[in-house]
Amino acid sequence: MAMGDSVPTPRISVHQAFGGGLVADVLLWRKWCGGVVMLASATTFWCLFELAGYSILSFVANVLLLLVVILFFWAKSASLLNRPLPPLPNLEISERTAGKIADELQVWVNIALSIAHDITLGRNLKLLLKVGVALWFVSFIGSFFSFLTVIYIGVILSLSVPVLYDKYQHHIDEKLSVTNKIIQTQYRKIDETVLRKLPLPSKKEKKMQ
């Protein structure tokens, strides 16, 4: 290779990007049993609630009722026949797990509050436009699909997009790079022709607040 040639960027492993564990194996169909179970379960739930019109609340209540009745008669018969009780695990959330969940929620809540602060008090028009476009897109998608259908589509995409990207990563990265350049160019045009011409609060006004 000539000295003037650029060194190719090392290819990032999609498997490692997903953590390299069981989740990565399922999403990339290396554990095909997990992928089949996930796809079959999602399809069953979608058909049950969307096509059959079954209520999620009724389904959960009936499943819990059936589970409680089975466990009750299992434990009752076990005491009468001197057999082992149902192997129920210790169903409780540890303080460590609760702390991790609380820390993660705190991060997301602080991000949302920071965005709201920048829009309202900082009068960040660019951020307002970005948030407005994102919320409009979510509303637009929601007008065509129900929440459960969106989740089902997300499951289908999570089981197909990583596999396709892992197989055609080089070509997809090239297309994404070109698309990103086009978006950045159009955004700079809008910023120069529209956003920078809009009146913004002066520093004195911000200090007065």
Side-chain angles (χ1 to χ4, degrees):
M1 183 176 62
M3 294 183 64
D5 296 339
S6 60
V7 179
T9 304
R11 186 173 184 268
I12 301 175
S13 172
V14 180
H15 188 266
Q16 292 297 325
F18 282 109
L22 179 61
V23 175
D25 292 336
V26 171
L27 294 179
L28 296 177
W29 290 88
R30 297 185 181 182
K31 295 286 186 181
W32 63 270
C33 292
V36 170
V37 170
M38 187 175 176
L39 180 60
S41 301
T43 304
T44 301
F45 277 102
W46 183 79
C47 293
L48 184 65
F49 297 128
E50 287 294 322
L51 300 183
Y54 202 65
S55 171
I56 296 180
L57 185 60
S58 300
F59 175 79
V60 173
N62 291 334
V63 169
L64 291 177
L65 176 61
L66 180 61
L67 181 62
V68 169
V69 170
I70 291 175
L71 292 176
F72 174 79
F73 284 106
W74 187 349
K76 197 70 174 177
S77 61
S79 62
L80 294 175
L81 301 176
N82 293 325
R83 293 183 177 274
L85 294 173
L88 289 177
N90 188 16
L91 301 177
E92 64 179 12
I93 300 177
S94 64
E95 293 184 3
R96 183 179 180 182
T97 303
K100 288 183 178 180
I101 296 174
D103 292 340
E104 191 69 23
L105 288 176
Q106 181 184 9
V107 171
W108 286 103
V109 170
N110 287 336
I111 292 175
L113 292 176
S114 177
I115 293 174
H117 180 273
D118 290 340
I119 292 176
T120 55
L121 299 181
R123 301 181 186 179
N124 192 331
L125 183 59
K126 295 180 182 179
L127 184 59
L128 174 62
L129 292 177
K130 292 179 181 179
V131 173
V133 170
L135 293 178
W136 174 85
F137 181 75
V138 172
S139 176
F140 180 75
I141 296 298
S143 64
F144 291 97
F145 306 103
S146 65
F147 181 69
L148 186 61
T149 301
V150 172
I151 294 178
Y152 179 66
I153 293 174
V155 173
I156 299 299
L157 292 178
S158 66
L159 293 175
S160 57
V161 172
V163 178
L164 295 175
Y165 182 72
D166 184 52
K167 188 175 182 180
Y168 305 104
Q169 182 177 0
H170 179 69
H171 300 286
I172 294 175
D173 286 344
E174 289 181 350
K175 300 298 182 182
L176 290 177
S177 178
V178 174
T179 304
N180 181 62
K181 290 180 181 178
I182 295 174
I183 293 175
Q184 292 295 331
T185 301
Q186 296 301 322
Y187 177 78
R188 282 194 293 267
K189 290 181 179 179
I190 296 175
D191 185 37
E192 293 174 356
T193 57
V194 179
L195 298 181
R196 293 186 181 180
K197 295 182 179 180
L198 294 175
L200 297 176
S202 62
K203 294 182 179 180
K204 292 182 178 180
E205 291 180 355
K206 290 183 178 180
K207 291 180 179 180
M208 292 285 294
Q209 293 175 355

